[in-house]
């Protein structure tokens, strides 16, 4: 698959770039993309929720009233979840939501996402991409020239560039 190369002003140049069929031309796997997104979102969860249970409440364990003869239910402690201010029965506990995802499934998900983008012609290749000064205005102008101003974009550079990063 070939993609035309654009310059910074958004005009086509005479060059074309071949995209590797092993990555951009493979059959996409929706399930691997789903698993990768699910793995990412699970890893983002904090998991610090906690409620005090009856063993952690600071209340008396003295028997409130006698066992029989009051006409009410038996009551042994103010820590019971039945009473206001008592512990929570089966409350949330801190936990880690992260799960393992195999490396090959992750790789397949990345390849599938790139092949979807290639099929939609949503991949743009630029030549000589650099800025004279690290200004956001230059980047906004570049996105307007490429008709990508209101779209989500992912910028991939060949090597590290401090001005583009800033």
């Amino acid at each position: 698959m070939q993609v035309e190369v654009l310059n910074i002003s958004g005009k086509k140049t005479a060059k074309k770039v071949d995209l590797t069929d092993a990555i951009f031309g493979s059959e996409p796997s929706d399930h691997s993309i789903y698993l990768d997104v699910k793995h990412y979102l699970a890893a983002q969860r904090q998991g610090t929720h906690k409620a005090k249970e009856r063993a952690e409440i600071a209340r008396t364990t003295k028997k409130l009233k006698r066992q029989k003869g009051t006409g009410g239910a038996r009551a042994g402690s103010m820590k019971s979840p039945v009473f206001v201010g008592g512990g929570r029965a089966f409350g949330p506990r801190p936990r880690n939501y992260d799960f393992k995802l195999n490396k090959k499934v992750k790789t397949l998900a990345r390849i599938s996402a790139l092949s979807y983008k290639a099929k939609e012609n949503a991949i743009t290749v630029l030549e000589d991409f650099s800025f004279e000064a690290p200004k956001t205005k230059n980047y906004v102008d570049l996105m307007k020239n490429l008709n990508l101003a209101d779209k989500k974009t992912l910028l991939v550079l060949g090597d590290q560039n401090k001005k583009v990063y800033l």
Side-chain angles (χ1 to χ4, degrees):
M1 175 178 210
Q2 288 191 338
V3 177
E4 294 178 340
V5 178
L6 304 177
N7 59 15
I8 293 178
S9 61
K11 296 180 181 170
K12 296 178 184 177
T13 61
K15 299 176 187 174
K16 288 193 176 187
V17 174
D18 287 325
L19 299 179
T20 310
D21 286 337
I23 296 173
F24 296 96
S26 68
E27 185 64 30
S29 169
D30 291 334
H31 188 65
S32 64
I33 293 174
Y34 160 75
L35 287 175
D36 196 31
V37 169
K38 183 179 166 187
H39 177 260
Y40 173 77
L41 292 175
Q44 297 302 305
R45 291 184 72 175
Q46 199 168 13
T48 55
H49 39 48
K50 175 77 174 83
K52 289 189 177 183
E53 296 186 353
R54 65 186 297 168
E56 300 161 335
I57 296 291
R59 289 210 138 186
T60 182
T61 56
K62 176 181 171 281
K63 191 159 178 63
L64 302 174
K65 57 186 178 184
R66 53 188 214 172
Q67 183 84 351
K68 292 177 165 286
T70 61
R74 301 176 293 179
S77 169
M78 286 295 288
K79 293 181 174 187
S80 172
V82 173
F83 294 109
V84 174
R88 169 97 187 261
F90 307 113
R93 297 193 169 246
R95 59 173 283 210
N96 184 6
Y97 288 92
D98 199 13
F99 62 93
K100 182 183 179 293
L101 192 63
N102 294 336
K103 288 180 187 176
K104 290 183 180 179
V105 175
K106 283 184 187 179
T107 305
L108 179 62
R110 295 336 191 270
I111 289 172
S112 298
L114 289 173
S115 7
Y116 269 128
K117 290 294 179 187
K119 285 183 180 179
E120 296 168 359
N121 293 325
I123 296 178
T124 306
V125 179
L126 297 175
E127 72 173 354
D128 301 330
F129 183 76
S130 63
F131 294 132
E132 294 174 10
K135 294 187 177 283
T136 307
K137 182 180 179 182
N138 296 341
Y139 187 76
V140 171
D141 291 339
L142 172 70
M143 291 296 124
K144 285 180 184 174
N145 291 341
L146 298 173
N147 297 325
L148 299 172
D150 297 329
K151 298 179 181 176
K152 292 183 182 180
T153 57
L154 172 67
L155 185 64
V156 180
L157 299 173
D159 56 343
Q160 190 172 7
N161 189 336
K162 185 74 172 175
K163 291 179 182 175
V164 174
Y165 175 75
L166 290 174

